[in-house]
Amino acid sequence: AIAAAGIALSMTQGWPARLEKNVVQTASLLDYRQGSAFRSSSCFLSSSSRSKPLDQALCLTPVPLKRNVLLVGDSHGAHIWYGLAAAYPDTHFMQATVSGCKPLLVPNGDARCYEIQHEVLTKTIAQTQPDAILLSARWKSADLKSVIDTVHQLSQKVAHVTVMGRIVEYRNPLPQLM
């Protein structure tokens, strides 16, 4: 009987129905893996995958009859994609995010960063004609002039350009800290 009860509890993962829904949901965050929330290696290129191109079909193709917003940035931009997509289901968020690459129209970072960001901020915008652009990065005060210049240039092509502020940084992923 004890063995049968043990097997039953094991197969039902400890009988989670005995716990409140919010407790089960919070406990599920222990298994959180940020790769899928970032769309790693397709719409978010880490420093190790920067040599790959962004997945144009998945990341940079507008959806007809939806508001299309282009999110461009570094890992800070990648962090907010999932939340934006979940909070605004009627908006399609295209994503071009590359680790350590600020979304600026002036050279910054290494040559590959500038190449990717410049292509997205010029060619991709011209081809996809997004309704709005969100720029998100780990900004520093020294970036201010470049950000202003970039916003000014992009505002001539797209009606709405928004610069997102820096996000809070933790040593471990926030869902696991919760």
Side-chain angles (χ1 to χ4, degrees):
I2 293 173
I7 291 171
L9 285 173
S10 176
M11 291 177 64
T12 62
Q13 297 180 338
W15 189 42
R18 76 184 191 287
L19 302 171
E20 293 181 35
K21 185 179 178 181
N22 64 339
V23 172
V24 174
Q25 184 179 14
T26 302
S28 73
L29 296 173
L30 291 171
D31 295 328
Y32 173 80
R33 299 293 174 259
Q34 64 190 18
S36 61
F38 285 18
R39 302 197 296 179
S40 291
S41 297
S42 54
C43 305
F44 170 63
L45 303 179
S46 66
S47 54
S48 62
S49 63
R50 229 188 261 169
S51 60
K52 293 174 46 178
L54 291 162
D55 183 334
Q56 297 288 320
L58 176 65
C59 311
L60 298 172
T61 301
V63 172
L65 304 176
K66 271 197 163 188
R67 178 174 165 79
N68 290 284
V69 174
L70 177 60
L71 170 63
V72 187
D74 59 12
S75 60
H76 287 231
H79 276 274
I80 64 173
W81 174 84
Y82 183 82
L84 290 170
Y88 300 98
D90 294 334
T91 300
H92 174 62
F93 288 92
M94 298 179 285
Q95 179 186 353
T97 51
V98 185
S99 179
C101 300
K102 294 177 184 169
L104 299 170
L105 286 168
V106 295
N108 67 91
D110 62 36
R112 181 68 178 147
C113 275
Y114 177 69
E115 178 186 314
I116 294 170
Q117 296 295 21
H118 191 267
E119 183 170 323
V120 169
L121 294 174
T122 57
K123 294 178 187 173
T124 300
I125 288 173
Q127 292 168 351
T128 62
Q129 299 180 340
D131 298 301
I133 297 174
L134 296 176
L135 304 176
S136 179
R138 189 179 195 201
W139 304 112
K140 295 183 178 173
S141 57
D143 298 322
L144 184 59
K145 182 180 180 337
S146 298
V147 171
I148 291 170
D149 292 345
T150 297
V151 169
H152 177 71
Q153 290 179 50
L154 293 176
S155 295
Q156 296 171 11
K157 300 174 186 178
V158 178
H160 302 282
V161 179
T162 301
V163 177
M164 305 295 289
R166 287 180 62 167
I167 63 171
V168 177
E169 294 182 52
Y170 302 97
R171 291 181 189 218
N172 295 311
L174 178 60
Q176 290 179 350
L177 292 174
M178 292 175 58

